[in-house]
Amino acid sequence: DLYPPEERGKMQGLLGASYGIGSGLGPLVGGFICSYISWHWVFYINVPIVAICLAFTVKKLPGHAEGMTQKIDYIGMAVLTALLIDILLFFEWVGTEFDVISLQTLLMLALAIIIGIVFYAIERRADDPVLAPKLFRNRTVVVSMAIMLLYGIAMLGTLSFIAMYMIYAYDIDTMECGLMLLPLVIGMMITSMCSGMLVARTGYRLWTVIGTAIIAGSLLLMSTLGADPSKILLEIYTFMFGLGLGCVQSVVMAAVQNNSDPREVGMTTSSVSLVRSIGSTTGTAIFSLI
């Protein structure tokens, strides 16, 4: 809301780069903590970090906008939470706690459908819905949701399994594994910044097509690595993967914001972010299932 449409791509590029840095530094910091302190601290360390973020939020972010009278859709949020819990638990349990084809699978899918119908009915009647059904008539939003769902699945699912692969293939500790993931971060930073700065001139489609093609190509190349992989090749492929991720994220978010009703930018942005988060959380479970 604070930036005009022509500047949003650049700002999303900066946000995308910082997201990439965080995603890449997480395994590095986590590896250091596990190797030299205690694995318990991978949870404790979030407390001071969140406290700092909260202080910045209170001090620096703009407050309530003038003339805003929207109601918070608490019921919709609660029902959506129930739906997401059912989906996440399904991917977590299927293939481990129960078989893919089983009564439990049928019950959890039926429960998701029922909750989804209830959620749709609530959102149709809500004054200010958390996820308005009319958003699905906006082609840009729908396509962006699909792209970011796959983006989330690919990113977190691949990151988890690349890390595991590195540890087993090279017999390294978590700290060294974090260092080996840095090329992915560098690639993501490069294209996040470049796509954000150039999107006003090039348009959204070019970067999205190039980015998804690079992601698919790098994953295909990773699939050719055997039990004794070349470190150089693996680093090149992870760098390519990062380049592809960086092309997509900031551009898709800018496209959604600039093709939404100004009053609904918050809702469309958060809806696409939510779908990406669903992909991220289910990505590892889906990869494990496969």
Side-chain angles (χ1 to χ4, degrees):
D1 285 348
L2 297 176
Y3 297 91
E6 61 272 14
E7 287 188 29
R8 284 180 189 158
K10 182 170 68 176
M11 299 313 299
Q12 287 289 356
L14 289 170
L15 289 172
S18 62
Y19 178 78
I21 293 168
S23 301
L25 290 182
L28 184 61
V29 176
F32 177 83
I33 290 169
C34 290
S35 298
Y36 298 105
I37 305 174
S38 163
W39 66 265
H40 300 85
W41 273 93
V42 299
F43 299 102
Y44 298 149
I45 196 173
N46 290 289
V47 177
I49 290 173
V50 169
I52 292 167
C53 290
L54 181 60
F56 271 115
T57 302
V58 172
K59 193 172 178 64
K60 298 293 184 183
L61 279 186
H64 194 62
E66 293 288 331
M68 293 279 281
T69 57
Q70 290 164 303
K71 299 175 185 175
I72 297 176
D73 182 16
Y74 291 110
I75 297 174
M77 288 166 64
V79 175
L80 178 60
T81 301
L83 176 61
L84 295 178
I85 289 172
D86 181 71
I87 293 169
L88 295 177
L89 288 179
F90 172 75
F91 281 111
E92 186 68 29
W93 290 343
V94 68
T96 54
E97 299 295 322
F98 51 81
D99 294 331
V100 177
I101 301 173
S102 64
L103 177 62
Q104 291 95 325
T105 295
L106 186 63
L107 288 173
M108 291 194 80
L109 291 176
L111 181 61
I113 292 168
I114 292 167
I115 297 173
I117 292 169
V118 171
F119 178 68
Y120 176 76
I122 290 169
E123 296 304 276
R124 281 190 65 190
R125 291 172 174 80
D127 293 328
D128 294 302
V130 67
L131 185 59
K134 67 179 178 180
L135 287 183
F136 294 94
R137 295 198 291 268
N138 185 326
R139 187 167 174 268
T140 303
V141 172
V142 172
V143 171
S144 298
M145 282 181 170
I147 291 170
M148 295 312 282
L149 177 69
L150 294 172
Y151 176 100
I153 292 170
M155 182 177 178
L156 264 295
T158 303
L159 262 176
S160 302
F161 278 83
I162 287 176
M164 196 184 301
Y165 181 64
M166 287 174 171
I167 288 168
Y168 283 108
Y170 303 121
D171 192 26
I172 58 176
D173 61 22
T174 49
M175 180 71 181
E176 292 174 281
C177 177
L179 287 168
M180 285 192 70
L181 287 171
L182 286 179
L184 186 148
V185 184
I186 295 166
M188 199 170 174
M189 285 173 59
I190 291 170
T191 46
S192 281
M193 297 290 285
C194 291
S195 62
M197 287 187 289
L198 298 174
V199 70
R201 279 186 259 168
T202 60
Y204 313 111
R205 185 174 298 171
L206 176 69
W207 290 101
T208 309
V209 171
I210 290 172
T212 48
I214 294 173
I215 291 170
S218 60
L219 291 176
L220 186 62
L221 288 169
M222 284 181 202
S223 73
T224 64
L225 297 168
D228 187 24
S230 160
K231 277 190 178 182
I232 294 173
L233 278 180
L234 183 55
E235 295 287 52
I236 290 170
Y237 298 162
T238 53
F239 175 72
M240 288 174 58
F241 185 62
L243 286 176
L245 292 174
C247 285
V248 175
Q249 174 166 278
S250 55
V251 170
V252 169
M253 295 305 284
V256 168
Q257 291 166 348
N258 292 340
N259 286 276
S260 300
D261 185 312
R263 294 166 299 177
E264 296 175 351
V265 168
M267 180 166 53
T268 53
T269 303
S270 60
S271 299
V272 174
S273 297
L274 171 68
V275 172
R276 182 189 66 196
S277 297
I278 294 170
S280 300
T281 11
T282 57
T284 306
I286 291 169
F287 274 49
S288 300
L289 177 62
I290 294 169

